[in-house]
Amino acid sequence: MLGDEAFKLVKEAKNITDSHIPVYNDEQVRLVTQETRYLWTRIEEMIASLSSANTLPDSQSTDMFGTQPLDQFSSSTTKGSSSAPISTAHMDRENINGQTSLYILTVARNKRCLLAYHHRRTQFLRSLLWNLHLAPSLVPPEMSAHVSPEEQNFAREYARLNASYRDAVEEQLCPTDSLDWTANGEIPPRDLFIEVRVTKDCGEIVTENGVVNLQAGTQHYLRRSDIEHLLTIGYLEHIHPT
């Protein structure tokens, strides 16, 4: 069935956890790519046949679809009927249009599934690298065996670009100090404010917006810089948006 191979890839991507990544499924990726190329070839062929039929007279275009001219079906209609007879050529055009649309939607879906599969795997690699202080050489051998050569190259290049950016920042802002932005083992945050749940009583803390009472079980929307230390020691839990 169309799209089944791509669906298998998405299921594999869903099975990726924070500590486990399945072996790169090169065969499944090849099957999805092969199906997508075949469908695109069929799309081009069907569009070309429709374009050719539209440039021919009605009598020739009906023969092209293996049907008969419209006037040969006029006797089959009821006398006095207001509805015009429909030629099988028109029906064939509608069928081809529908099939073309189905193939186009399947191609687009296959592409999204391929992108989702590879994006989820690169997310895992990025998170792993930050846990290992951006050192690809520290990736466990059993985990390295689960990634493709292209993914290994991505990991090395990602670490190199981060190191290059860090050196440029150090040179401009703090030439006498060394920045360690992998200290907490997490990808740098993008959000200034985050939603957190209090797991242990913290009492009152002073933030830029005033005093906040952090009682166990309560949830708050706070500036990350104000409560970063509490997140690190486990007193607060970051609630990730779903």
Side-chain angles (χ1 to χ4, degrees):
M1 185 174 179
L2 291 179
D4 282 354
E5 303 301 334
F7 180 66
K8 293 177 183 178
L9 275 184
V10 175
K11 289 178 64 177
E12 284 194 20
K14 189 176 181 180
N15 292 332
I16 297 176
T17 64
D18 292 338
S19 58
H20 171 73
I21 183 171
V23 177
Y24 182 80
N25 198 335
D26 184 72
E27 177 63 18
Q28 197 64 33
V29 171
R30 186 189 65 80
L31 289 175
V32 177
T33 305
Q34 184 178 3
E35 180 188 66
T36 303
R37 289 174 176 169
Y38 168 77
L39 291 177
W40 193 252
T41 300
R42 293 290 295 123
I43 290 169
E44 291 179 332
E45 292 173 351
M46 288 187 289
I47 291 177
S49 67
L50 288 173
S51 299
S52 299
N54 290 335
T55 61
L56 296 175
D58 289 342
S59 59
Q60 297 183 33
S61 64
T62 53
D63 290 340
M64 185 174 185
F65 288 100
T67 60
Q68 299 175 351
L70 178 61
D71 55 5
Q72 297 188 20
F73 293 89
S74 58
S75 60
S76 63
T77 60
T78 303
K79 290 184 178 182
S81 174
S82 60
S83 60
I86 301 176
S87 68
T88 55
H90 175 75
M91 295 175 62
D92 285 344
R93 289 192 186 95
E94 291 297 319
N95 289 337
I96 292 179
N97 283 332
Q99 192 173 22
T100 303
S101 298
L102 174 63
Y103 285 178
I104 290 174
L105 291 174
T106 303
V107 167
R109 181 179 181 273
N110 283 357
K111 288 182 178 180
R112 290 198 302 271
C113 291
L114 284 169
L115 289 172
Y117 176 73
H118 290 94
H119 177 67
R120 182 66 187 92
R121 292 181 67 88
T122 54
Q123 277 185 322
F124 174 88
L125 291 174
R126 290 171 59 223
S127 178
L128 176 65
L129 287 172
W130 282 95
N131 286 329
L132 299 175
H133 302 282
L134 294 174
S137 59
L138 298 180
V139 176
E142 62 274 9
M143 196 165 290
S144 296
H146 286 196
V147 299
S148 66
E150 291 78 12
E151 289 173 329
Q152 294 179 8
N153 185 61
F154 165 80
R156 290 190 293 268
E157 188 66 12
Y158 181 78
R160 186 192 67 79
L161 289 174
N162 273 278
S164 176
Y165 178 71
R166 179 200 60 203
D167 294 342
V169 172
E170 287 181 353
E171 182 179 355
Q172 294 291 329
L173 301 180
C174 48
T176 59
D177 295 324
S178 178
L179 296 176
D180 183 12
W181 50 25
T182 63
N184 61 357
E186 295 181 359
I187 298 175
R190 295 185 178 183
D191 300 325
L192 293 178
F193 288 84
I194 60 173
E195 188 173 3
V196 295
R197 180 183 294 110
V198 184
T199 58
K200 296 181 181 179
D201 283 324
C202 304
E204 293 183 345
I205 65 170
V206 179
T207 69
E208 293 185 4
N209 297 321
V211 178
V212 179
N213 187 12
L214 300 179
Q215 294 182 346
T218 59
Q219 294 182 195
H220 305 269
Y221 189 69
L222 302 170
R223 184 183 291 271
R224 178 186 285 270
S225 58
D226 289 334
I227 43 87
E228 187 74 46
H229 60 293
L230 297 175
L231 283 170
T232 303
I233 62 178
Y235 279 61
L236 300 180
E237 177 187 9
H238 183 193
I239 303 175
H240 295 277
T242 56

